[in-house]
Amino acid sequence: MATDWLGSIVSINCGDSLGVYQGRVSAVDQVSQTISLTRPFHNGVKCLVPEVTFRAGDITELKILEIPGPSDNGPYGDFQQTDLGISGVGFPGSSSQNGTGKLLKKPGSSAPQSIPRRTDMKNQDVATSPQQHQCSKSYMDRHMETLNQSKVFRRRHNSWSSSSRHPNQVTPKKSGVKNGPMKNKDDECFGDNIEEIPDTDFDFEGNLALFDKAAVFEEIETFERKSGTRSRGTPNERSSRYRHDENILESEPIVYRRITVPQASKEFCTDSGLVVPSVSYELHKKLLSVAEKHGLTLERRLEMTGVCASQMALSLLGGPNRLNPKNIHQRPTVALLCGPHVKGAQGISCGRHLSNHDVHVILFLPNFVKMLESITNELMLFGKTQGQQVSSVKDLPDTPVDLVINCLDCHENAFLRDQPWYKAVVDWANQNRAPVLSIDPPVSEAEQGIDAKWSLALGLPLPLGERAGRVYLCDIGIPQKVFQEVGINYHSPFGCKFVIPLHST
């Protein structure tokens, strides 16, 4: 009879769309072909409704998890194949050798058979086949997995709710069975009653309303004002305490235009925003002449220019990542192209410092009958290094070098560009395809033969064009009062550095 299965705990599989339901059978209607479950669970989660009714057409598979005895409502019984009288619904029967179950319908009477309990089967010698034992074990594993999922959900829900409770809310204590000093692991994991899961969701809005946000922030602001710490809500108030990086005295407004010249055709700016105006070649030449009268001789200026230019070249070559003891086999190669003038002497000074820093320097200087004294002195010092000096373009390397330093051009001797050696060197530099650093390039309307990627200006920049590349400025040690003598109001823009980049405004 259909009423004989009331109170049984079953598992109903309704396919992928509806999922799996578990619960206790509360009603079976053979006329309408429906079955009702009380206290149902949907995919391991307890449903919010107390009862769920299923039609026979929606049921894909039905498993009986527990059949209550005549006077016992104890633990789960063994899984059995039976019929509830609903047409089209089968139960897992005996499995085949590969472990797959079949849906069978028991013929004959629908009355329940006498099913032995688990405790009775332990006391009796019951002969079971390996296939039946494997099928029952797989059903039991599936059932226990479903129950474990529901218990884990309940534990997470309880921990979530307990962390969000109001301080005045009473938290019920859990009762557990202890086995000696430690709680039994099985009871700790599976001993909770799954019926304690609340039917209603956690009230987030109500719990959040218990927190008075405005009152808490007002309390924080009051504490900060009393303790003297920085206040976030009152930026105009001055705190009585200062951090280690705060100034006690009032700081003056920043002045970005600290250098003024009589006439500037172009302006640059530093990384910190200071404005650096350009000067004409005549004013720049006058500045160097006045500095030389006060003791900043040509030899000092050449040395300072060589140091600054070599520092910039070393950074362009890779700095400490390239120049370290582990990369001795990868020494950078620099081609230094110099002309027979003061600009060439500056390049020779730079090459000497680069060679002292373990850079392979190849110096090109054309042969002249008479050289400037500054060039002769610099060549004597360069000859004491490991650098190589050549006077013919044929002796320059055929392979690309790491950097080309251009000191061929001069502010005054423009006729050198018509010399055969000059044209040959320009062709070699353009074919080598190495990046070019130009030291103190001249300002000329004529097209320069070698396009520079970087240009290094001395003291104050000249109004260089776009072909000069990115402009850098180096400090050659001209005192501030020397600038004032030539009509320049000067304040050093270098800060802690001797070479700084300039940006066009």
Side-chain angles (χ1 to χ4, degrees):
M1 302 296 293
T3 57
D4 296 335
W5 305 105
L6 298 179
S8 301
I9 297 178
V10 297
S11 176
I12 298 177
N13 187 356
C14 298
D16 297 336
S17 61
L18 299 179
V20 180
Y21 288 83
Q22 294 177 348
R24 191 178 298 273
V25 179
S26 60
V28 177
D29 191 349
Q30 294 182 341
V31 178
S32 59
Q33 293 289 293
T34 59
I35 182 173
S36 300
L37 302 181
T38 184
R39 296 179 181 177
F41 283 80
H42 180 218
N43 294 330
V45 181
K46 187 174 182 180
C47 300
L48 300 179
V49 294
E51 188 177 31
V52 180
T53 302
F54 302 90
R55 296 180 302 175
D58 298 333
I59 301 175
T60 304
E61 184 181 8
L62 191 148
K63 298 179 182 178
I64 298 179
L65 305 179
E66 179 184 350
I67 300 178
S71 60
D72 188 15
N73 291 328
Y76 299 147
D78 293 335
F79 303 138
Q80 299 293 335
Q81 301 91 323
T82 184
D83 183 19
L84 291 181
I86 302 177
S87 61
V89 179
F91 305 99
S94 61
S95 63
S96 60
Q97 294 181 358
N98 58 3
T100 59
K102 298 180 180 180
L103 297 179
L104 301 177
K105 182 169 182 168
K106 181 179 178 182
S109 174
S110 62
Q113 298 180 353
S114 176
I115 301 176
R117 294 180 54 78
R118 181 180 298 178
T119 55
D120 298 337
M121 293 180 65
K122 292 182 180 179
N123 299 328
Q124 298 177 3
D125 295 335
V126 181
T128 59
S129 63
Q131 292 82 356
Q132 293 177 347
H133 179 73
Q134 183 179 4
C135 181
S136 300
K137 184 178 179 180
S138 62
Y139 292 154
M140 180 60 73
D141 292 341
R142 294 178 184 176
H143 174 62
M144 294 304 295
E145 181 180 359
T146 304
L147 291 180
N148 291 341
Q149 293 178 356
S150 64
K151 292 177 181 293
V152 170
F153 169 78
R154 197 191 71 82
R155 287 181 177 275
R156 291 179 179 177
H157 183 84
N158 290 342
S159 62
W160 187 14
S161 300
S162 61
S163 62
S164 304
R165 287 193 181 98
H166 191 265
N168 297 330
Q169 186 175 351
V170 180
T171 303
K173 297 183 179 181
K174 295 183 180 179
S175 60
V177 180
K178 292 187 178 180
N179 185 8
M182 297 180 63
K183 188 177 182 179
N184 187 279
K185 293 183 179 181
D186 294 337
D187 293 340
E188 183 180 357
C189 184
F190 306 108
D192 294 337
N193 188 2
I194 62 176
E195 297 181 357
E196 295 180 0
I197 301 177
D199 295 338
T200 59
D201 293 337
F202 180 74
D203 187 6
F204 289 96
E205 296 181 358
N207 188 269
L208 186 60
L210 299 176
F211 174 69
D212 192 354
K213 186 175 180 180
V216 172
F217 276 96
E218 184 179 358
E219 182 181 357
I220 295 174
E221 296 293 344
T222 303
F223 174 78
E224 288 180 347
R225 285 194 294 268
K226 291 181 179 180
S227 60
T229 57
R230 296 188 66 188
S231 178
R232 295 186 299 269
T234 56
N236 295 328
E237 295 182 3
R238 176 162 295 278
S239 176
S240 59
R241 297 184 181 181
Y242 297 88
R243 301 196 315 270
H244 66 281
D245 58 345
E246 285 186 323
N247 293 327
I248 299 177
L249 301 178
E250 290 287 345
S251 59
E252 298 179 357
I254 301 175
V255 179
Y256 291 99
R257 190 176 295 274
R258 299 182 179 181
I259 303 175
T260 58
V261 297
Q263 184 178 0
S265 59
K266 189 175 183 179
E267 289 185 345
F268 301 88
C269 66
T270 63
D271 291 337
S272 58
L274 299 178
V275 178
V276 179
S278 63
V279 295
S280 62
Y281 171 69
E282 290 75 14
L283 183 58
H284 192 272
K285 184 178 179 180
K286 183 180 179 181
L287 176 65
L288 297 179
S289 177
V290 174
E292 189 172 355
K293 291 180 181 179
H294 289 282
L296 187 62
T297 60
L298 177 61
E299 290 76 12
R300 289 187 175 185
R301 193 168 74 245
L302 292 178
E303 188 69 18
M304 196 64 185
T305 304
V307 171
C308 294
S310 60
Q311 287 183 352
M312 181 177 177
L314 291 174
S315 63
L316 295 177
L317 291 173
N321 297 327
R322 179 76 180 275
L323 301 170
N324 59 65
K326 297 181 181 179
N327 289 338
I328 298 179
H329 60 287
Q330 295 181 351
R331 292 177 57 192
T333 302
V334 175
L336 188 60
L337 310 179
C338 298
H341 38 65
V342 177
K343 307 301 179 184
Q346 295 175 353
I348 299 173
S349 176
C350 174
R352 170 166 54 90
H353 290 288
L354 289 177
S355 183
N356 291 338
H357 287 267
D358 204 19
V359 177
H360 184 207
V361 179
I362 302 175
L363 170 62
F364 171 82
L365 181 66
N367 288 326
F368 277 83
V369 177
K370 186 178 180 180
M371 291 286 187
L372 295 177
E373 183 181 0
S374 59
I375 294 181
T376 304
N377 295 335
E378 291 296 336
L379 284 177
M380 291 178 59
L381 292 175
F382 182 81
K384 302 300 181 181
T385 65
Q386 299 295 328
Q388 178 184 358
Q389 180 183 355
V390 297
S391 59
S392 177
V393 180
K394 297 180 181 179
D395 298 331
L396 292 174
D398 298 332
T399 58
V401 296
D402 294 281
L403 181 65
V404 173
I405 299 179
N406 180 21
C407 298
L408 293 174
D409 298 312
C410 181
H411 294 283
E412 298 175 351
N413 299 332
F415 66 90
L416 294 176
R417 299 180 181 179
D418 299 331
Q419 300 295 325
W421 61 266
Y422 182 91
K423 296 180 180 179
V425 173
V426 170
D427 294 339
W428 175 88
N430 293 329
Q431 293 176 3
N432 193 269
R433 297 181 179 179
V436 179
L437 168 62
S438 182
I439 299 178
D440 194 14
V443 180
S444 177
E445 297 179 357
E447 293 291 336
Q448 297 182 4
I450 303 176
D451 291 337
K453 188 174 183 179
W454 307 281
S455 293
L456 182 63
L458 310 181
L460 284 177
L462 300 176
L464 301 175
E466 296 181 357
R467 300 195 63 178
R470 187 173 183 181
V471 181
Y472 284 76
L473 184 66
C474 72
D475 184 10
I476 58 176
I478 301 177
Q480 185 177 10
K481 293 185 178 180
V482 176
F483 285 96
Q484 295 178 358
E485 289 188 21
V486 297
I488 299 176
N489 186 11
Y490 180 83
H491 190 280
S492 176
F494 293 96
C496 62
K497 300 179 181 179
F498 283 88
V499 180
I500 58 174
L502 297 181
H503 310 280
S504 299
T505 57

